[in-house]
Amino acid sequence: MSGSSKEIEEGLTLAPKFDRDGLVTVVATDSASGDLLMVAHMNAEALARTVETGEAWYYSRSRKALWKKGESSGHVQRVVEMRVDCDQDAVWIKVEQEGPGACHTGRRSCFYRAIPLGQKDNVKLEFRDAGKTFDPGQVYDKK
Amino acid sequence: MSGSSKEIEEGLTLAPKFDRDGLVTVVATDSASGDLLMVAHMNAEALARTVETGEAWYYSRSRKALWKKGESSGHVQRVVEMRVDCDQDAVWIKVEQEGPGACHTGRRSCFYRAIPLGQKDNVKLEFRDAGKTFDPGQVYDKK
C-alpha cells in the first residue's frame, strides 16, 4: 500500500504504517531535559493536525477520540522536532511541555516507577522522580 | 485482571497491561546521549528475560518470535535503567548500546528522518543524523 520496504525505509515520502486500529505509536520527550514524558498514539487525523499546527494531538484508545494534549489541563505540548522511524510505525516528538507535567496522575512524566533488574518473580517497582507536580483533580475538573 | 486503576498507577506491583496480542510497547533510549534509539515490543517472556538478565529481549511482530537484541548483529543492549509508565502498557529502557547502532538499516537510531512542521499535504521527510554507522548486509549475513 505504502510502497516497498526500501521506499518506506530510505525514501522521503511520509507513508505511516498505521496498525489495524489505524494508529501509530508516539513517543514524546522533553526537548530541554531529553526525558521521556509519555507514550501515546496518533491516528491519521491527529498526525496531520500535529504536523500542520506544531502542537501535539493524539488519539485516545480508551475514549476512542481525537484529543489535543492540554485541551482540558492547559498542558499543551509544542513540538520542537518530529521524526519518524525506519518502518514508519512510530513517531518521536521532542516537545516543550507547557505547565507542570504531562502525566494525568499529576507528574512531569508517566515513567515515575523503575523496574529493578535481576528479579525473577513478583517483581516490585520502585518510585523514581515520582513527586507530584500538580493536583490532577484540580487540573482536570476545573472546567 | 491486574487490579484497580489506582493500584496499577500508584502501586509497586509490576502488573503489565499487555495488549490483545500479549505485548507492551518498549522505548529504548541511549543512556549516554539520551537519544531515542528504537521503539519495539515485549511479550511477557521478553519482559521477564530483560528484567532477569539486564539485557534487552523483544518480541518481533513480523517474525512472531522472541529475540534477543544483538543475537545476530552482536549489537546487544545492556539495560542501565528500566521504567514502566502510569498504566503499565509501556516500558522505557535506558541502554548501553553495544556496537555502532540499533537500527537494522545500519544507523545508530531508527529515527533518522524528520517530519518538517507546517506542511499540509504530501508531507516530505528530511534526513537527520542519517549517516550509516555500519553495513547491515555485512552485520546480519555474516553468520
Side-chain angles (χ1 to χ4, degrees):
Chain A
M1 188 180 89
S2 326
S4 73
S5 155
K6 172 99 182 156
E7 281 167 356
I8 291 167
E9 291 179 359
E10 301 293 336
L12 292 178
T13 299
L14 178 63
K17 194 163 82 187
F18 295 106
D19 68 13
R20 63 192 139 155
D21 297 318
L23 304 175
V24 290
T25 302
V26 181
V27 174
T29 60
D30 186 303
S31 63
S33 69
D35 282 346
L36 179 54
L37 294 174
M38 54 188 277
V39 172
H41 295 84
M42 289 180 185
N43 63 0
E45 177 72 17
L47 183 63
R49 289 193 190 201
T50 303
V51 173
E52 194 181 342
T53 66
E55 294 188 321
W57 285 77
Y58 296 101
Y59 183 85
S60 164
R61 293 179 301 175
S62 54
R63 289 184 283 123
K64 298 189 195 314
L66 188 73
W67 59 292
K68 184 187 171 187
K69 178 68 184 168
E71 69 189 352
S72 35
S73 64
H75 302 166
V76 171
Q77 293 178 336
R78 275 184 297 275
V79 181
V80 173
E81 190 178 17
M82 190 164 189
R83 295 198 186 190
V84 67
D85 79 341
C86 45
D87 56 0
Q88 301 208 28
D89 64 357
V91 166
W92 174 20
I93 51 176
K94 302 182 195 179
V95 304
E96 288 175 356
Q97 175 66 59
E98 181 73 23
C103 184
H104 78 286
T105 67
R107 297 172 173 98
R108 178 118 191 110
S109 159
C110 296
F111 292 83
Y112 49 84
R113 287 171 298 184
I115 306 174
L117 301 174
Q119 301 177 84
K120 202 156 176 189
D121 298 306
N122 300 312
V123 175
K124 284 293 166 193
L125 306 174
E126 292 174 3
F127 284 118
R128 211 65 66 83
D129 307 319
K132 297 211 177 183
T133 52
F134 64 97
D135 177 351
Q138 208 164 41
V139 164
Y140 294 106
D141 298 333
K142 72 181 177 188
K143 283 199 298 191
Chain B
M1 188 180 88
S2 327
S4 73
S5 155
K6 172 101 182 153
E7 282 168 354
I8 292 167
E9 291 179 1
E10 300 294 336
L12 291 178
T13 298
L14 179 63
K17 193 162 82 188
F18 295 106
D19 68 12
R20 63 192 138 154
D21 296 319
L23 305 175
V24 290
T25 301
V26 181
V27 174
T29 61
D30 186 299
S31 63
S33 69
D35 282 346
L36 179 54
L37 294 173
M38 56 186 276
V39 172
H41 296 84
M42 289 181 185
N43 64 0
E45 177 71 16
L47 184 62
R49 289 193 190 201
T50 303
V51 172
E52 195 181 340
T53 66
E55 294 189 322
W57 285 77
Y58 297 101
Y59 182 84
S60 166
R61 293 179 301 175
S62 54
R63 288 184 284 124
K64 300 190 194 311
L66 188 73
W67 60 291
K68 183 185 172 188
K69 178 68 185 168
E71 68 190 352
S72 35
S73 64
H75 302 166
V76 171
Q77 294 178 335
R78 275 184 298 275
V79 181
V80 173
E81 190 179 17
M82 190 166 188
R83 295 198 186 191
V84 67
D85 79 341
C86 45
D87 56 1
Q88 301 208 27
D89 65 356
V91 167
W92 174 19
I93 51 176
K94 301 181 196 181
V95 304
E96 288 174 356
Q97 176 65 60
E98 181 74 24
C103 183
H104 77 286
T105 66
R107 296 171 173 99
R108 177 118 192 111
S109 159
C110 296
F111 292 83
Y112 50 84
R113 287 170 299 183
I115 306 175
L117 301 174
Q119 301 177 85
K120 202 156 176 188
D121 298 305
N122 299 311
V123 174
K124 284 294 163 192
L125 306 174
E126 292 174 3
F127 284 117
R128 209 68 66 81
D129 306 319
K132 298 210 177 185
T133 52
F134 64 96
D135 177 350
Q138 205 162 45
V139 164
Y140 295 106
D141 298 334
K142 73 180 177 189
K143 282 200 298 194

